[in-house]
Amino acid sequence: MNSIIKRSLSDFLTFRFLALSFLPLFISLGSLIGLVIYFGGDVFSILARPSIEAYANGDGFIAWLLSLSIVQFMITSSFYIISIFLAILLSVAIAGIITGFLTPYVVKYINDKYYGYNSTPLPSNMHVFKLIGSTIIKFILIFLICMPLLFIPVLNLFILNLPFFYLFYRLMLIDIASNTSDSLIFEIDMQKGGGVKFFSASVLFYILTLVPFVGLFLQIFFVIFLSHILLEKNSRGF
């Protein structure tokens, strides 16, 4: 692992990859700022305190429940916390999409420089798209299962991370493995989840994505590091 860390840092700290790292950063920030300008006010007004109090003045059990100060606090605080969290993840998602277009270039550079691994034939695009679609459906199901717990302060931050980590980890695995592995090894990577090293690194990288700006700028580094893990594994054999 130490050799992978050294190689990844030496690759990332070059002009070509540092320059590429600003592309996802600027595009994701620009997109997020645009969304906030055009839609932010409408979204945040939906569960603003005056709106909650208006519902609380009605009749019935829901109105009585919303009239309680603790319930109003839980709803408003959870809404704003989740909104900020989702804004960070949205910016990371945009950066990840941009980085996905750069992955083949990054992988080819690393493979040519260090490993010379023959990854042909690569898995078909149709198969890769099917896996991406399946991952998104599973993410939605996990998110729906977690929804009842999202309005419990503090706990909601941990619960909310479960579906989004799954999405981050699986999409990174599909994206990188589809460029580093031939069709047979790709299937093995999908079954084994990329291995312990890949999973452990993904956990750390996901935590870094939650740090504003850091996760956006390091997207290329994530691809470099995870590509080294899979290419080294493939070149040595299972």
Side-chain angles (χ1 to χ4, degrees):
M1 185 65 81
N2 287 336
S3 62
I4 292 179
I5 294 174
K6 291 179 181 178
R7 288 179 176 181
S8 300
L9 286 174
S10 65
D11 292 331
F12 180 68
L13 297 176
T14 58
F15 176 78
R16 77 172 68 201
F17 287 129
L18 285 176
L20 285 178
S21 296
F22 283 102
L23 187 61
L25 174 64
F26 289 150
I27 292 178
S28 59
L29 285 180
S31 301
L32 186 60
I33 291 172
L35 289 173
V36 170
I37 291 175
Y38 284 100
F39 302 107
D42 294 334
V43 172
F44 278 95
S45 66
I46 293 175
L47 282 179
R49 182 171 291 276
S51 300
I52 296 176
E53 292 176 348
Y55 285 110
N57 292 328
D59 298 322
F61 175 74
I62 300 298
W64 171 80
L65 193 63
L66 291 175
S67 67
L68 300 176
S69 297
I70 183 65
V71 174
Q72 293 183 15
F73 170 77
M74 289 175 62
I75 292 175
T76 53
S77 62
S78 297
F79 176 72
Y80 286 110
I81 290 173
I82 292 174
S83 297
I84 293 171
F85 180 80
L86 291 177
I88 293 174
L89 289 180
L90 177 60
S91 63
V92 171
I94 296 172
I97 293 172
I98 302 302
T99 305
F101 289 103
L102 303 174
T103 298
Y105 169 77
V106 175
V107 170
K108 184 178 184 306
Y109 174 86
I110 293 172
N111 190 29
D112 290 345
K113 183 177 179 180
Y114 296 102
Y115 304 101
Y117 177 74
N118 182 11
S119 58
T120 55
L122 290 171
S124 67
N125 290 333
M126 183 63 67
H127 182 49
V128 171
F129 290 144
K130 285 182 179 178
L131 288 175
I132 292 174
S134 174
T135 296
I136 293 174
I137 291 173
K138 290 178 182 178
F139 157 75
I140 294 173
L141 292 176
I142 296 172
F143 183 80
L144 292 175
I145 293 172
C146 294
M147 277 191 68
L149 301 175
L150 294 184
F151 291 100
I152 302 177
V154 181
L155 180 62
N156 53 16
L157 288 178
F158 295 99
I159 295 299
L160 193 58
N161 278 298
L162 294 179
F164 283 101
F165 169 72
Y166 171 80
L167 184 66
F168 172 84
Y169 163 60
R170 292 297 296 183
L171 291 183
M172 289 292 283
L173 177 60
I174 294 170
D175 180 36
I176 296 173
S178 63
N179 286 279
T180 59
S181 306
D182 59 57
S183 57
L184 176 60
I185 302 300
F186 178 75
E187 294 302 325
I188 297 175
D189 286 335
M190 292 300 102
Q191 294 175 9
K192 295 187 175 182
V196 176
K197 288 183 180 179
F198 193 99
F199 180 82
S200 301
S202 297
V203 172
L204 176 59
F205 293 159
Y206 178 77
I207 294 172
L208 290 175
T209 63
L210 302 181
V211 181
F213 305 110
V214 173
L216 303 181
F217 182 71
L218 292 180
Q219 289 288 317
I220 294 293
F221 176 76
F222 298 163
V223 173
I224 292 172
F225 192 94
L226 295 174
S227 296
H228 272 294
I229 289 177
L230 291 186
L231 284 169
E232 183 179 81
K233 174 182 65 64
N234 292 346
S235 61
R236 290 181 177 178
F238 285 89

